[in-house]
C-alpha cells in the first residue's frame, strides 16, 4: 500500500512558480517559435495572402521547391561518439573574409511588402550576427541605405543583367562605391517563371486591391497600418512600376546574356564575383573557366523552371569536380540548421536562406529576423555536437548519406541489371 498524505504548503511552493507576464506581445509570440516552420506559421497569420504567397510560392505546380525541401529531409546523419564537443566553432572564411555562421541572408525582392522594415531589418540583424546580407536588384531599399544600416558588416549585391546595360552597371558602380564586397550575378532568369500564385492573387506593384484582398486583410489591420503609414512601396533601384512581377521581369531582363557578358561583368567589379543559378556540372565547369570566385547551386527557390534539378543533389558531384576551383554556395529548400550542416558536409562552403529570412521578417520585423538567425545558429551548433565535430572543417561526406527517392530511370535500370 502507498502511504498518502495531504500536500504541505512548503512542498507546493516550488511547483507554483508562475512566469512573470509580459506586455511585449511581439516578443511573446517570437519566444514560442522553436523552428523556422513555427515562424512561418506566425507569418501566415499576420501577413495578407498575396504578400505571404509571394514568399511561399514557386513556379507552376511548385514541384521544384517541394523536391528541394524533400531532398534535405531525405538524408541520414552518421554521428561519431565519445568526442569532446564542449567548444564548437561555427565560422570560417567565405569568399576571402570571415563569417560567424555558414549561412547568410539571400537576396529577395519586394521585401518591404512582407514587412515595412524590409531590408533594413535584415541588414541590421545580419550585421549583429556576423553574417552577410544580400540586397536584390528587385529590393525595396536603396543600396546606400543598406550600407548605412550595416556599415561594418558584409553586404553583397545581387545583379540581374538588364537589356539596358548602362542602367545595370550604374547599380554595380553604386554597390562598389558603397563598399559591397561581393557581386551575385544571377543567370537563371532569361524570362520570368510562371508564378501562378501571384497571378491568381493579382500581385503587383503597387498592390491591386480586390474584394478578396480586402476580406483577407480584415483580420490583419497591423500590416495595413504599417503599409499605409510608411514610405510608399517601390523598387529602390528602379523607376516606379505599375504591373505584375512577371511583366516587369520580362520587360527588363535580357535573354541574350552569355558567357562573354559574364566575363565583361567580372572585369567591371572590384570585389568577389559569384554566379548564382548553376544547375548542372557542365555549367559549373564552364563558369570556372571564366575566373569567378564562387557559384551558387540554385534553381531560384523553385521560382523559375519547375522540375529543375535539385541543388542539394548536385552538390556532391560538383564539389568533387570543381570544389578546388572556387567556393560553392547552395540555396533552395533550406529550412533548418541541420540542412545547413548537411550541405557543408557534402562540400558547400556557404548557404543562403531566403524564405526562412522572410518568414522571420513577416513574423516580427527585425526581431523576427534575429529569432530566425538564433534558431538556425542554435540548430547548427547542436547538430555539430551530436555528430561529434567541433568545427566546420571536420564535417565531411562520411557524416551524411543522401537517401534515394528520385533516381533517373537510366540509373535505376543499370542498378537492376547489375543485380
Amino acid at each position: 500500500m502507498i502511504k498518502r498524505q495531504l500536500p504541505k504548503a512548503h512542498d507546493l511552493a516550488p511547483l507554483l512558480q508562475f512566469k512573470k507576464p509580459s506586455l511585449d506581445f511581439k516578443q511573446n509570440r517570437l519566444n514560442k517559435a522553436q523552428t523556422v516552420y513555427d515562424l512561418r506559421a506566425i507569418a501566415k497569420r499576420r501577413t495578407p495572402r498575396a504578400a505571404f504567397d509571394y514568399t511561399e510560392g514557386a513556379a507552376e505546380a511548385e514541384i521544384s521547391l517541394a523536391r528541394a525541401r524533400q531532398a534535405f529531409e531525405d538524408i541520414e546523419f552518421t554521428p561519431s561518439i565519445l568526442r569532446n564537443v564542449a567548444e564548437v566553432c561555427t565560422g570560417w572564411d567565405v569568399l576571402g573574409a570571415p563569417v560567424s555562421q555558414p549561412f547568410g541572408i539571400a537576396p529577395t525582392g519586394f521585401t518591404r511588402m512582407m514587412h515595412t522594415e524590409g531590408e533594413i531589418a535584415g541588414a541590421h540583424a545580419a550585421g549583429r550576427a556576423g553574417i552577410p546580407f544580400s540586397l536584390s536588384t528587385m529590393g525595396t531599399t536603396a543600396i546606400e541605405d543598406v550600407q548605412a544600416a550595416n556599415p561594418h558588416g558584409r553586404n553583397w549585391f545581387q545583379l540581374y543583367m538588364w537589356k539596358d546595360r548602362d542602367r545595370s552597371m550604374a547599380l554595380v558602380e553604386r554597390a562598389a562605391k558603397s563598399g559591397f564586397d561581393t557581386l551575385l550575378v544571377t543567370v537563371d532568369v532569361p524570362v520570368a517563371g510562371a508564378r501562378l500564385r501571384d497571378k491568381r492573387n493579382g500581385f503587383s506593384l503597387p498592390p491591386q486591391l480586390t474584394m478578396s484582398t480586402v476580406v483577407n486583410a480584415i483580420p490583419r489591420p497591423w500590416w495595413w497600418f504599417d503599409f499605409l503609414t510608411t514610405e510608399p512601396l517601390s523598387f529602390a533601384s528602379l523607376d516606379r512600376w505599375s504591373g505584375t512581377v512577371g511583366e516587369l521581369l520580362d520587360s527588363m531582363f535580357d535573354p541574350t546574356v552569355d558567357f562573354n557578358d559574364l566575363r565583361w561583368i567580372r572585369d567591371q567589379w572590384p570585389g568577389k564575383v559569384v554566379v548564382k543559378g548553376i544547375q548542372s556540372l557542365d555549367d559549373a565547369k564552364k563558369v570556372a573557366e571564366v575566373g569567378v570566385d564562387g557559384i551558387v547551386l540554385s534553381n531560384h527557390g523553385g521560382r523559375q523552371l519547375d522540375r529543375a534539378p535539385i541543388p542539394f543533389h548536385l552538390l556532391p558531384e560538383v564539389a568533387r569536380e570543381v570544389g578546388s576551383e572556387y567556393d560553392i554556395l547552395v540555396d533552395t529548400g533550406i529550412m533548418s540548421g541541420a540542412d545547413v550542416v548537411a550541405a557543408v558536409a557534402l562540400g558547400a562552403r556557404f548557404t543562403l536562406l531566403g524564405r526562412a529570412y522572410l518568414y522571420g521578417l513577416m513574423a516580427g520585423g527585425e526581431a523576427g529576423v534575429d529569432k530566425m538567425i538564433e534558431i538556425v545558429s542554435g540548430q547548427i551548433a547542436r547538430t555539430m555536437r551530436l555528430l561529434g565535430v567541433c568545427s566546420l572543417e571536420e564535417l565531411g561526406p562520411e557524416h551524411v548519406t543522401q537517401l534515394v527517392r528520385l533516381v533517373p530511370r537510366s540509373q535505376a535500370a543499370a542498378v537492376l541489371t547489375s543485380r
Side-chain angles (χ1 to χ4, degrees):
M1 295 293 292
I2 299 176
K3 183 179 179 181
R4 299 185 182 278
Q5 64 182 27
L6 291 174
K8 297 178 182 179
H10 66 271
D11 293 328
L12 289 175
L15 304 176
L16 298 176
Q17 299 293 321
F18 294 100
K19 185 177 179 180
K20 185 178 179 181
S22 170
L23 296 179
D24 188 340
F25 300 114
K26 177 167 67 176
Q27 200 58 54
N28 288 344
R29 67 174 179 268
L30 292 176
N31 287 341
K32 295 177 182 178
Q34 302 299 312
T35 68
V36 171
Y37 283 105
D38 290 341
L39 292 175
R40 176 190 173 277
I42 298 171
K44 188 173 184 179
R45 293 196 302 267
R46 298 188 59 80
T47 310
R49 182 177 60 237
F52 181 82
D53 277 358
Y54 177 76
T55 294
E56 177 85 352
E60 302 193 38
E62 305 186 356
I63 294 170
S64 286
L65 176 58
R67 287 178 177 175
R69 285 187 174 160
Q70 188 67 55
F72 282 104
E73 294 180 11
D74 288 349
I75 64 167
E76 181 178 271
F77 283 122
T78 303
S80 300
I81 62 170
L82 299 177
R83 305 295 200 273
N84 182 352
V85 291
E87 299 293 331
V88 172
C89 177
T90 60
W92 57 4
D93 283 357
V94 172
L95 296 169
V99 295
S100 66
Q101 299 288 338
F103 71 91
I105 293 178
T108 61
F110 275 76
T111 312
R112 287 189 58 238
M113 179 73 79
M114 313 308 129
H115 191 286
T116 189
E117 294 179 14
E119 289 89 353
I120 296 299
H124 279 160
R128 281 193 297 273
I131 62 175
F133 174 81
S134 306
L135 175 65
S136 170
T137 296
M138 310 301 289
T140 48
T141 300
I143 292 169
E144 294 78 10
D145 291 340
V146 167
Q147 191 280 332
N150 187 24
H152 306 298
R154 297 188 67 184
N155 294 314
W156 297 357
F157 184 70
Q158 176 267 330
L159 174 70
Y160 290 119
M161 183 53 72
W162 303 344
K163 295 172 183 175
D164 186 339
R165 300 300 175 86
D166 290 340
R167 293 182 67 195
S168 295
M169 298 319 294
L171 291 178
V172 170
E173 291 174 7
R174 285 172 58 192
K177 288 180 180 178
S178 295
F180 283 52
D181 63 75
T182 297
L183 186 68
L184 300 174
V185 183
T186 299
V187 295
D188 58 357
V189 188
V191 295
R195 303 173 191 178
L196 302 186
R197 292 202 204 194
D198 294 345
K199 292 183 179 180
R200 290 167 182 147
N201 289 328
F203 189 79
S204 62
L205 191 69
Q208 299 297 309
L209 296 181
T210 65
M211 183 57 67
S212 176
T213 305
V214 173
V215 170
N216 182 256
I218 290 174
R220 299 167 178 83
W222 46 82
W223 185 92
W224 282 103
F225 175 78
D226 283 344
F227 182 77
L228 296 172
T229 59
T230 56
E231 181 182 354
L233 186 67
S234 64
F235 292 117
S237 301
L238 318 175
D239 294 334
R240 292 189 179 275
W241 173 262
S242 180
T244 67
V245 182
E247 290 168 346
L248 174 61
L249 299 185
D250 285 339
S251 71
M252 289 175 46
F253 298 155
D254 188 348
T256 70
V257 173
D258 59 19
F259 281 90
N260 289 328
D261 294 300
L262 181 59
R263 291 186 180 90
W264 180 72
I265 294 169
R266 161 72 275 186
D267 293 339
Q268 308 303 308
W269 179 256
K272 302 293 185 179
V273 172
V274 174
V275 180
K276 183 176 182 294
I278 300 298
Q279 299 176 65
S280 72
L281 175 60
D282 185 52
D283 279 343
K285 290 179 176 179
K286 288 179 180 178
V287 167
E289 297 172 2
V290 176
V292 300
D293 303 288
I295 61 170
V296 184
L297 296 178
S298 169
N299 63 28
H300 213 98
R303 297 164 73 82
Q304 283 299 105
L305 176 65
D306 205 10
R307 298 179 178 84
I310 300 167
F312 185 57
H313 282 175
L314 289 172
L315 175 60
E317 183 180 26
V318 172
R320 284 194 302 269
E321 296 290 331
V322 296
S324 61
E325 304 283 344
Y326 41 52
D327 286 355
I328 298 174
L329 290 71
V330 178
D331 72 12
T332 307
I334 299 172
M335 290 289 284
S336 74
D339 297 344
V340 174
V341 170
V344 172
L346 292 182
R349 192 70 184 178
F350 200 64
T351 59
L352 292 171
L353 278 61
R355 286 184 177 88
Y357 150 58
L358 292 178
Y359 291 145
L361 182 67
M362 289 185 285
E366 188 172 323
V369 183
D370 286 334
K371 184 66 176 180
M372 183 280 294
I373 294 172
E374 174 191 321
I375 288 171
V376 175
S377 299
Q379 291 169 335
I380 289 171
R382 182 169 59 251
T383 302
M384 289 174 63
R385 284 190 167 96
L386 291 173
L387 285 175
V389 302
C390 296
S391 67
L392 299 177
E393 288 85 355
E394 294 179 41
L395 288 168
E398 67 275 12
H399 291 110
V400 177
T401 300
Q402 290 182 316
L403 304 178
V404 175
R405 182 182 297 263
L406 297 174
V407 178
R409 188 169 182 175
S410 58
Q411 291 183 19
V415 171
L416 291 174
T417 301
S418 66
R419 292 178 179 175

